[in-house]
Amino acid sequence: MKLELRGITKRFGDLIANDHIDLTVEEGEIHCLLGENGAGKSTLMNVLYGLYQAEEGDILIDDEVRHFAGPGDAMRSGIGMVHQHFMLIPVFTVAENVALGHEQVYGPGLLNLDAARTLVRDISARFGFDIDPDALVEDLPVGVQQRVEIVKALSREAKVLVFDEPTAVLTPQETDEFMAIMRQLKSEGTSIVFITHKLREVREVADRITVIRLGKVVGEADPNAGKEELASLMVGRAVDLTIDKAPAQLTDNSLVIDKLSIADETGHRSVRELSVTVQGGEILAIAGVQGNGQTELAEALLGMQERASGSITLNGTELLGLNARQILDAGVGYVPEDRTVDGLVGGFSVAENLMLDRSDGEPFVKFGTLQTDVLNEFATEKLESYDIRSQSIHEHVSKLSGGNQQKVVLAREMSRELSLLVVSQPTRGLDVGSIEFVHEQIVGVRDRGVPVIVVSTELDEVVSLADRIAVMYKGQIVGIVPADTPREKLGLMMAGERITEEAA
């Protein structure tokens, strides 16, 4: 089935998310839609899938114009979509999820789940998925849940499959398996739209690449193009993708975590007896599939987990039991994974957000009075040095794009004297050029002799930044290995296999 988008334009108020985009996907090809977070890729696919209605443009299937009032229309036309965040009901079985919305019945009120089970078995056998139709989705690994989503789409006889950032939650091994699945789908004539910002994956499977920047198609690229060429198309300028990092020079500064456990209100432990030491002058990157305790660990380092036990000492000072204000005053810089909840005050200006950590003393406050000139000068310099795109330092931070909000948080946390830097998902929402700059700043903090912890689900980022890598699985560190450990070994560790630094 051939898919064509002509002149698709989608607006959200004054924001033009898609600006007259043309895209053609031929039958049996993998067409990669490449672009940075916020470029408009997912919006375009949500228009195709009927979740959004475009203000202008047409969708054509086999040269016939179609109009989709919702996802049901798109599915009936042979279009399936596997979202980055799976649309599955965790407490339902695989068969129940596949049947949902397309239920077959024996009679009034009698659901025919046998038909759904047979469908799951048939499609699983065809692709070698090995999925139990009666397994609860919540009990399945993330990679298998993704396969359930694919079975769902294929059970609706989808001829065009859209994958939206499909590898974001997968281990390297699961990613390789997913690439093989895409190739098999292609061999059977299925057309695939593959949305991603990961250059390595694009070069591995794409037949054609369309690059979107700021809501517009800026060109097509050859799948054999180098990473630098693809990155420059995404950003609009030349980008250096390598991090210039000298060998770690360790100092006497240290963060020591000893037998740290964190429980929720039900008593379930998200972190279990975790121990690790981070020396000054090194970056310890924490890798792992999202949801294995990394978030809770980072929050505990800033006193944001009430049910934490064990010990966290920074240069001999116990942090566990202190509140966030006391820990910040001890010189801990913290970039949270959710900047809107934990990193910024949306109704405050950019300038005000840049002083949040130091709002009770010099240089911004003297004798209880805000030093406006000092703050304005500081904020103006940070806007320029961090390339924060804002109308002014007085604009509400809620008005900024996600990437620029992230830069505000980074600028604030890295612009003071630090004893420890904890950074969660440091480049989420940033373009390739901004990522380059942020990585340089993180390495710069490390080179000042400060211990640095980086929590990231981007394995390329982990490998690039780390001096050592700690892999977390189900609340524990399954191993600490050098930064040059092969991706295959890291992937096995992310799936729970324990490995020693010597073995790596």
Side-chain angles (χ1 to χ4, degrees), residues 248 250-260 273-286 297 301 311-316 419-422 449-454 467-472 477 479-481 501:
L250 301 183
T251 69
D252 292 335
N253 300 325
S254 65
L255 172 75
V256 179
I257 302 172
D258 186 37
K259 295 182 180 179
L260 177 68
E273 299 285 316
L274 185 148
S275 298
V276 67
T277 297
V278 189
Q279 290 295 130
E282 75 164 339
I283 296 173
L284 178 74
I286 297 182
L297 169 61
L301 293 172
S311 174
I312 303 173
T313 57
L314 177 61
N315 298 329
S419 302
L420 168 69
L421 177 63
V422 181
V450 175
V452 178
I453 292 181
V454 173
D467 296 301
R468 293 188 298 149
I469 300 172
V471 180
M472 284 190 69
I477 291 178
I480 301 176
V481 294
E501 190 163 353

Side-chain angles (χ1 to χ4, degrees), residues 157-175:
E157 299 184 348
K159 303 300 182 185
V160 176
L161 274 178
V162 178
F163 292 107
D164 187 1
E165 299 283 1
T167 63
V169 293
L170 303 183
T171 67
Q173 279 79 8
E174 289 171 331
T175 296

Side-chain angles (χ1 to χ4, degrees), residues 8 73 95 118 246 295 393 460 464 501:
I8 298 295
D73 290 343
T118 300
T295 298
I393 61 172
D460 288 339
S464 297
E501 190 163 353

Side-chain angles (χ1 to χ4, degrees), residues 23 46 51 146 149 203 264 279 282 310 316 445 474 492:
L23 181 71
N46 284 331
L51 290 168
Q146 186 180 67
E149 285 277 30
R203 299 172 70 223
D264 62 19
Q279 290 295 130
E282 75 164 339
V445 173
K474 292 187 176 179
L492 292 172

Side-chain angles (χ1 to χ4, degrees), residues 35-273:
E36 283 301 306
N37 295 317
K41 309 183 300 297
S42 295
T43 298
L44 182 66
M45 291 302 103
N46 284 331
V47 168
L48 168 64
Y49 198 54
L51 290 168
Y52 295 153
Q53 304 300 311
E55 282 77 23
E56 300 176 38
D58 292 312
I59 298 171
L60 291 85
I61 295 176
D62 291 334
D63 300 319
E64 180 184 340
V65 175
R66 301 289 181 92
H67 298 284
F68 301 151
D73 290 343
M75 285 186 278
R76 283 186 287 272
S77 295
I79 296 170
M81 187 167 179
V82 177
H83 298 264
Q84 179 178 351
H85 304 290
F86 304 147
M87 302 294 182
L88 299 172
I89 309 298
V91 296
F92 281 12
T93 67
V94 171
E96 289 167 340
N97 271 280
V98 169
L100 193 62
H102 292 74
E103 296 86 352
Q104 297 184 42
V105 295
Y106 294 115
L110 296 174
L111 182 64
N112 182 4
L113 271 180
D114 287 337
R117 291 189 183 98
T118 300
L119 199 55
V120 171
R121 291 191 186 100
D122 289 348
I123 296 174
S124 295
R126 183 172 142 204
F127 290 96
F129 284 172
D130 189 25
I131 299 174
D132 178 3
D134 294 314
L136 287 178
V137 163
E138 65 184 356
D139 295 334
L140 298 176
V142 173
V144 178
Q145 290 185 31
Q146 186 180 67
R147 294 178 183 190
V148 175
E149 285 277 30
I150 295 172
V151 169
K152 266 180 60 180
L154 294 176
S155 72
R156 273 70 159 172
E157 299 184 348
K159 303 300 182 185
V160 176
L161 274 178
V162 178
F163 292 107
D164 187 1
E165 299 283 1
T167 63
V169 293
L170 303 183
T171 67
Q173 279 79 8
E174 289 171 331
T175 296
D176 291 340
E177 291 167 4
F178 173 73
M179 299 292 183
I181 290 169
M182 281 204 294
R183 294 188 189 99
Q184 186 175 350
L185 288 165
K186 168 190 168 181
S187 71
E188 297 198 4
T190 304
S191 305
I192 294 173
V193 182
F194 177 31
I195 303 175
T196 187
H197 64 277
K198 297 182 179 180
L199 303 179
R200 183 182 63 84
E201 295 169 6
V202 170
R203 299 172 70 223
E204 188 170 331
V205 296
D207 295 311
R208 283 196 296 155
I209 301 171
T210 295
V211 182
I212 293 183
R213 184 169 72 242
L214 299 177
K216 295 182 179 181
V217 172
V218 294
E220 288 199 357
D222 188 325
N224 296 317
K227 289 184 178 181
E228 288 76 12
E229 181 180 343
L230 293 174
S232 65
L233 266 175
M234 292 165 65
V235 179
R237 63 174 178 81
V239 177
D240 183 3
L241 295 177
T242 60
I243 299 176
D244 185 15
K245 188 176 66 169
Q249 301 296 318
L250 301 183
T251 69
D252 292 335
N253 300 325
S254 65
L255 172 75
V256 179
I257 302 172
D258 186 37
K259 295 182 180 179
L260 177 68
S261 292
I262 301 170
D264 62 19
E265 59 276 3
T266 69
H268 174 263
R269 292 195 297 173
S270 54
V271 175
R272 296 178 293 155
E273 299 285 316

